Amino acid sequence: MSKTKIQQLWRAGRGRIALLGAAAVLAVPGCTDLTETPLSAITPGNFFKNSDEVIGGVASVYAGLRGTMWGYYNISQVTTDENVVPTRGSDWFDNGRWLDLHRQAWTPTSGAGLEDIGGMWNDLFGGVARSNVVLSALETTEVPNKATVVAEMRVLRAFYYYLLMDMFGGVPIVTTTEVKTREQATRAQVFAFIEKELTEARPNLPDAWPAESYGRLTKFAADAILANMYLNAQVFTGTVTATGLTRGPAKWSEAVAAADRVINSGRYQLSSNWRANFAFDNASSRENIMVVRHRAQDGLGLTFVMRMGHYNSFNPSPWNGFATLSDTYFSFDADDPRRGVFLVGPQVELTTGQPIRDRAGNPLVFTPEIRDITQATEGEGARIYKYTLDPARQGGDNGNDYVYFRLAEMLMIKAEAQNELGQTAAAIAITNQLRTRAGVPAAKLLAATLTQQQVRDAIYRERLFEFIGEAKRRQDMVRFGTYTTPRQFNTTARAPFRILMPIPQNQIEIN
């Protein structure tokens, strides 16, 4: 897959709203449909004159979340041991940016730094800017349920900041449309800002929305963000220097409380078929708490299957890019059904089930091993096939909704926090609940005699098994101190400051 093609598919129309220009434009989709294509560029001076226009602006802020499926998702995956994008002949080299990401060798001015990390910065601050424009308009425009709409925008803006804090640490906090230079806040200050926004806005959000408003934020989406923040509080409130992370204070009890608000709400339940949470019709899942809506339409769909599928896996031809490390694949027990998310061995066309061949005419076989990521063959590397193909897809656009948070994660957050609080037996019970739901044999459940450290290690592994392909691994590796340690294709330790992405050089110069 070429850099040019990727840019055409994912960067066209992406908001290039620099920090100083946060008031400049807002791409507006039609009315309340959160998946519509943005139709126009508008400014606060010529729009937001009535309720429909304001709600259109709200939908635009939601629609911007689809941009996180490229930069934020890819970096969360490719910089870890879950994904690698090998160079396959002339495909996927792209001036070395994919290998630099996996090797954690990016710089502020490298291809990965400018294209991937810089693009992610623009996507996320574009979401902040759009949120600020709508919130500014709401100060002078009346709409039904105004308090709820304001709360939505504050939580959405907080979520964009949560992603920025996760990747970049301390960033400028921008809450107005005023065009001016902004000071960089510390990471702990950004954490406090997000926590305050979520806590204050939460009471004005509904417990649930009517079916036609599926995908809009609820109280429990705010709780899910908070639970995750508290789980990572030592990282998110810590300080990163050239020598590494100095951790901030833990918030284990707060993590349990936020997770419990979701768990005990009665709104969510574990799916008996855990794979249904990622299917093309996963809008019906009662496990999913916060999703990014997609539609099987050009430019509105999820493209994960395009990134991993072989050129002949289905029509139109996928890109044959993202693969998994063999060490990661083999870390799954053979009798753990969750290993079934990988495509390995002889391959078939995903819609017909018929055997397929590689471009040389040989039967296509996916091997777990990749001998050399700089010159891989077509079939090397297991592929994560968690978000499955949509029969109604248009081109490579599938209708699966991306899941940012689901009930299983709230349970695992609670288990990890309980274990850190010394409640090891309770943590074991929750972990075994999820292993049982996944179909793990009873003989492979965690023993009640495990020590706190053994449970800590088991939870780290369990999060890989349960959440692989869900952009959770980078956070987990940073929290557990393994992100920059040697692994399969990174045989030497990386500088400890690389747990944060560099703020793009052009953004530093602009601001």
Side-chain angles (χ1 to χ4, degrees):
M1 185 61 182
S2 70
K3 176 180 177 181
T4 301
K5 181 63 174 176
I6 294 169
Q7 287 176 321
Q8 289 173 347
L9 290 168
W10 283 94
R11 302 302 296 278
R14 173 179 282 170
R16 316 307 285 175
I17 302 177
L19 192 59
L20 287 175
V25 296
L26 176 65
V28 177
C31 204
T32 58
D33 192 326
L34 307 187
T35 61
E36 287 297 325
T37 306
L39 300 177
S40 62
I42 55 87
T43 67
N46 64 15
F47 207 67
F48 301 117
K49 304 301 184 185
N50 56 54
S51 175
D52 286 346
E53 290 179 350
V54 171
I55 297 303
V58 170
S60 176
V61 183
Y62 277 101
L65 291 173
R66 288 198 300 272
T68 67
M69 299 296 91
W70 187 251
Y72 181 84
Y73 180 85
N74 286 352
I75 290 171
S76 296
Q77 291 287 127
V78 177
T79 64
T80 75
D81 58 0
E82 281 197 2
N83 274 130
V84 63
V85 185
T87 302
R88 304 181 192 273
S90 60
D91 291 341
W92 288 100
F93 177 65
D94 293 340
N95 295 318
R97 54 185 266 227
W98 298 104
L99 298 181
D100 278 354
L101 282 177
H102 187 71
R103 292 166 171 161
Q104 301 175 350
W106 57 79
T107 70
T109 56
S110 68
L114 292 172
E115 180 65 23
D116 299 288
I117 299 172
M120 174 175 63
W121 173 280
N122 284 318
D123 286 342
L124 300 181
F125 261 113
V128 171
R130 289 176 173 88
S131 303
N132 285 338
V133 170
V134 177
L135 284 166
S136 177
L138 285 166
E139 293 176 3
T140 57
T141 305
E142 293 303 317
V143 297
N145 302 314
K146 181 175 177 176
T148 298
V149 178
V150 170
E152 279 185 273
M153 290 299 94
R154 291 180 69 183
V155 172
L156 273 172
R157 181 177 63 187
F159 183 69
Y160 282 112
Y161 264 113
Y162 155 84
L163 300 180
L164 283 161
M165 173 185 65
D166 178 22
M167 286 291 178
F168 296 101
V171 297
I173 297 174
V174 184
T175 59
T176 70
T177 59
E178 184 180 6
V179 179
K180 66 177 184 179
T181 302
R182 310 283 183 168
E183 294 295 327
Q184 182 179 9
T186 67
R187 200 178 197 185
Q189 288 171 332
V190 178
F191 181 98
F193 167 76
I194 300 168
E195 182 182 30
K196 180 175 182 290
E197 290 292 289
L198 294 173
T199 303
E200 290 182 356
R202 181 189 183 279
N204 288 322
L205 291 173
D207 289 4
W209 288 92
E212 63 269 19
S213 296
Y214 161 73
R216 295 178 73 172
L217 295 173
T218 66
K219 283 183 172 68
F220 307 113
D223 287 330
I225 303 169
L226 283 167
N228 180 275
M229 285 177 56
Y230 293 139
L231 179 74
N232 291 282
Q234 289 179 300
V235 174
F236 288 164
T237 64
T239 303
V240 178
T241 65
T243 58
L245 171 68
T246 300
R247 292 177 180 261
K251 291 184 178 290
W252 303 120
S253 296
E254 292 89 337
V256 171
D260 268 342
R261 289 196 295 272
V262 180
I263 295 167
N264 298 329
S265 69
R267 296 283 176 178
Y268 307 97
Q269 63 185 37
L270 293 177
S271 298
S272 57
N273 175 11
W274 60 270
R275 298 202 69 166
N277 296 315
F278 315 100
F280 65 90
D281 58 352
N282 64 343
S284 62
S285 169
R286 289 202 58 195
E287 183 170 333
N288 297 339
I289 301 164
M290 179 179 172
V291 303
V292 179
R293 289 190 61 184
H294 288 85
R295 179 177 290 175
Q297 292 183 12
D298 185 30
L300 298 179
L302 194 67
T303 65
F304 289 176
V305 292
M306 295 296 286
R307 299 176 210 182
M308 68 84 195
H310 182 268
Y311 313 108
N312 298 327
S313 290
F314 57 90
N315 286 318
S317 179
W319 307 333
N320 201 31
F322 288 36
T324 298
L325 282 63
S326 60
D327 284 358
T328 299
Y329 171 74
F330 285 116
S331 69
F332 284 69
D333 289 338
D335 54 1
D336 187 335
R338 291 170 296 189
R339 191 172 177 176
V341 301
F342 295 106
L343 297 181
V344 291
Q347 293 303 297
V348 298
E349 212 274 354
L350 293 179
T351 57
T352 67
Q354 295 301 307
I356 56 176
R357 298 180 178 273
D358 62 22
R359 290 188 294 189
N362 303 308
L364 177 64
V365 178
F366 284 162
T367 63
E369 295 81 8
I370 305 172
R371 290 167 294 180
D372 185 344
I373 59 174
T374 68
Q375 46 185 341
T377 65
E378 290 179 35
E380 286 186 323
R383 315 301 169 89
I384 301 174
Y385 186 48
K386 198 167 194 176
Y387 283 87
T388 52
L389 200 65
D390 184 353
R393 69 191 182 281
Q394 289 191 11
D397 289 278
N398 293 260
N400 318 56
D401 295 325
Y402 178 76
V403 185
Y404 261 114
F405 298 107
R406 56 190 176 97
L407 182 60
E409 186 175 7
M410 298 301 103
L411 290 166
M412 284 305 300
I413 286 173
K414 182 176 181 178
E416 184 174 337
Q418 284 180 320
N419 187 57
E420 296 302 327
L421 291 169
Q423 302 166 24
T424 299
I428 291 172
I430 290 177
T431 306
N432 282 340
Q433 177 187 2
L434 288 175
R435 289 179 67 77
T436 299
R437 187 276 292 266
V440 174
K444 295 291 184 68
L445 298 182
L446 302 187
T449 56
L450 294 182
T451 66
Q452 183 186 46
Q453 182 58 51
Q454 288 173 324
V455 173
R456 184 179 293 124
D457 295 341
I459 286 173
Y460 178 60
R461 293 191 300 271
E462 189 64 21
R463 286 187 62 91
L464 172 66
F465 305 150
E466 181 68 25
F467 303 121
I468 190 160
E470 297 183 47
K472 305 294 181 182
R473 186 63 169 168
R474 178 181 164 275
Q475 280 189 5
D476 291 349
M477 295 184 83
V478 171
R479 189 170 68 257
F480 280 85
T482 62
Y483 185 64
T484 57
T485 57
R487 56 179 183 265
Q488 190 168 358
F489 296 119
N490 276 347
T491 55
T492 59
R494 296 301 177 184
F497 64 80
R498 289 188 178 274
I499 64 173
L500 287 180
M501 302 296 126
I503 293 177
Q505 183 63 38
N506 62 339
Q507 294 296 333
I508 294 173
E509 294 167 356
I510 287 171
N511 197 28

